[in-house]
Amino acid sequence: MAASPASPTATAAVPGHRSAPPAAGAGALLVVGFVLMSLNTRVAFGQIGPLAPVAGFSPAMVSLLGLLPPLCMGAFAPLAAVVRRRLGEERGLWWASLVLVAGAVLRMLSMPGLFAGTVVVSAATAVVNVLIPVLVRKRFPRERVGAMMGLYALSMGAGSALVAAMVVPVAQAAGSWQPAIGLAIVPAVLAAAGPTPQLRHRPARPAPVAAGTERAGRPHVARTGLAWSLTAFFGVQTLAFYTTLAWLPSILVQAGLDRGAAGTGQALLICGVAAGGFAAPVLAAKRTDQRPHILATILICAAGFTGLLLAPTGTAMLWVVVLGIGLGAGQALPGVLYAHRGSDHDHVTALSTMAQTGGFLLAATGPVLASALHSATGAWTAPLAALTATLLICTATSMRAGHDPK
């Protein structure tokens, strides 16, 4: 990432300080590196769903591979605060990108490598997830926070959609799932290469305060309703996202679509995720009250699940896109909420860490519970209805995250 020309000492000394705008060349490199890293962030997690029917992965395998990313991202999210204190945001993100490359290579080597590499990729992604909102808050003016978080979500969805659309043809042409999994190496290498030229710049070092600890009379985040509301909103949205990512192709196949069409459905879902992920933060960042955006996100997701539950096969793809828009908004909107509700960089880090730790651990239960409900009932009706109900019930607990009473 491009480093800001602002003095590291001055930046570290002022909580919540934003770096001065970089020169045009440095700013362009910052954005390019940001986009390349964003393209890679969810690529690995969108491969298993389309591959499952083609590669013959068992339901137990799909469930475990759907469980590992949110479980590991929740478990490793607190590591991001340590990485930030030791390396700063820019270098921390670069090292996380290198680890992602290693994990992407490991995933294609063998079946045990697929599981181990998924753990490695998920751990590195946990660091990226927490540090991105902090980087955006620090390096960009407040009026550009929404645009940059939208660009992050759009790039993330575009990279994942492109690879998701390619995995089935590559697996069928190669006669093996491994080359299809290996597609993720390309965006991982680009993500690591993008910010490499900027490593000569010294990053601003944040003050050595652990994420979540008290500062100037501020209570620990775990004692605030704001943090718990953020965790509830992010957790339920992420539970819905990873459950859908793991099982949508199987849902579409059981609804009567062929395997190729189911893979296309996964790509359409992720295109919707990209569109919703771009629009939601751009619109929300312009307002001081994001409660209407939270409500709209929940209702769009609920409409998408209801459409899949009730609509005939002919309109399934329409509801897949609607669902993708809602899920994309639910993944991108929290980044704006962290940046707007946080009082300084440490507070943003603490809010982001707590919401993602608790949220991802909650989300890890989604693919497994959906599989259990499907096995018990023999259909996807119960899992889709349960996801819809959970989203609607969560509405009340999510509202505090969108409003600052001060």
Side-chain angles (χ1 to χ4, degrees):
M1 298 291 182
S4 166
S7 165
T9 303
T11 302
V14 183
H17 174 80
R18 294 183 190 278
S19 301
L29 287 174
L30 171 63
V31 174
V32 169
F34 184 80
V35 169
L36 289 175
M37 186 163 49
S38 303
L39 285 167
N40 179 56
T41 307
R42 292 293 187 275
V43 164
F45 306 146
Q47 293 179 300
I48 301 302
L51 270 181
V54 177
F57 292 160
S58 69
M61 280 187 58
V62 176
S63 294
L64 183 55
L65 288 168
L67 168 70
L68 284 174
L71 183 64
C72 293
M73 284 191 282
F76 287 98
L79 179 64
V82 178
V83 171
R84 176 176 175 260
R85 289 198 303 273
R86 292 181 178 274
L87 301 174
E89 292 84 4
E90 292 86 353
R91 289 175 181 254
L93 288 166
W94 182 76
W95 277 106
S97 296
L98 289 184
V99 175
L100 273 165
V101 173
V105 172
L106 184 58
R107 292 177 83 238
M108 70 168 293
L109 298 181
S110 64
M111 189 59 70
L114 178 59
F115 286 93
T118 298
V119 172
V120 173
V121 167
S122 302
T125 303
V127 174
V128 174
N129 287 339
V130 173
L131 293 186
I132 283 290
V134 185
L135 179 77
V136 170
R137 158 114 182 199
K138 184 182 81 169
R139 299 294 300 276
F140 295 96
R142 186 179 181 88
E143 61 271 16
R144 292 184 62 190
V145 166
M148 295 311 300
M149 293 308 301
L151 180 62
Y152 172 59
L154 179 64
S155 302
M156 179 173 64
S160 188
L162 178 62
V163 173
M166 294 173 63
V167 289
V168 171
V170 170
Q172 290 175 332
S176 169
W177 58 266
Q178 289 165 287
I181 289 291
L183 288 170
I185 296 173
V186 176
V189 169
L190 291 174
T196 299
Q198 306 307 319
L199 293 180
R200 66 183 182 274
H201 295 275
R202 290 176 62 89
R205 299 295 294 273
V209 178
T213 55
E214 297 182 5
R215 176 194 284 274
R218 185 175 66 218
H220 191 287
V221 288
R223 302 193 191 107
T224 65
L226 169 62
W228 284 106
S229 182
L230 283 166
T231 301
F233 177 64
F234 178 77
V236 172
Q237 286 292 322
T238 306
L239 181 149
F241 178 79
Y242 280 96
T243 302
T244 305
L245 205 62
W247 292 114
L248 179 66
S250 298
I251 293 169
L252 295 176
V253 167
Q254 188 164 311
L257 279 70
D258 61 41
R259 292 176 177 178
T264 301
Q266 185 86 337
L268 285 174
L269 174 83
I270 299 173
C271 287
V273 168
F278 178 75
V282 170
L283 295 173
K286 297 177 180 179
R287 304 282 297 274
T288 57
D289 186 346
Q290 285 82 35
R291 286 176 295 183
H293 306 86
I294 291 174
L295 180 60
T297 296
I298 293 171
L299 292 178
I300 292 170
C301 289
F305 282 124
T306 303
L308 286 177
L309 185 62
L310 301 177
T313 303
T315 60
M317 293 304 184
L318 170 63
W319 294 110
V320 164
V321 174
V322 171
L323 178 58
I325 291 171
L327 293 175
Q331 291 298 289
L333 188 54
V336 173
L337 299 178
Y338 307 145
H340 277 247
R341 302 285 93 82
S343 56
D344 55 47
H345 300 155
D346 291 320
H347 195 205
V348 174
T349 304
L351 291 172
S352 180
T353 299
M354 178 175 164
Q356 295 192 50
T357 299
F360 277 122
L361 291 176
L362 174 63
T365 65
V368 176
L369 292 176
S371 178
L373 278 174
H374 175 260
S375 298
T377 63
W380 288 106
T381 302
L384 290 172
L387 285 167
T388 304
T390 302
L391 283 163
L392 294 175
I393 291 169
C394 183
T395 303
T397 59
S398 300
M399 289 298 106
R400 172 65 182 86
H403 177 59
D404 189 350
K406 294 183 293 184

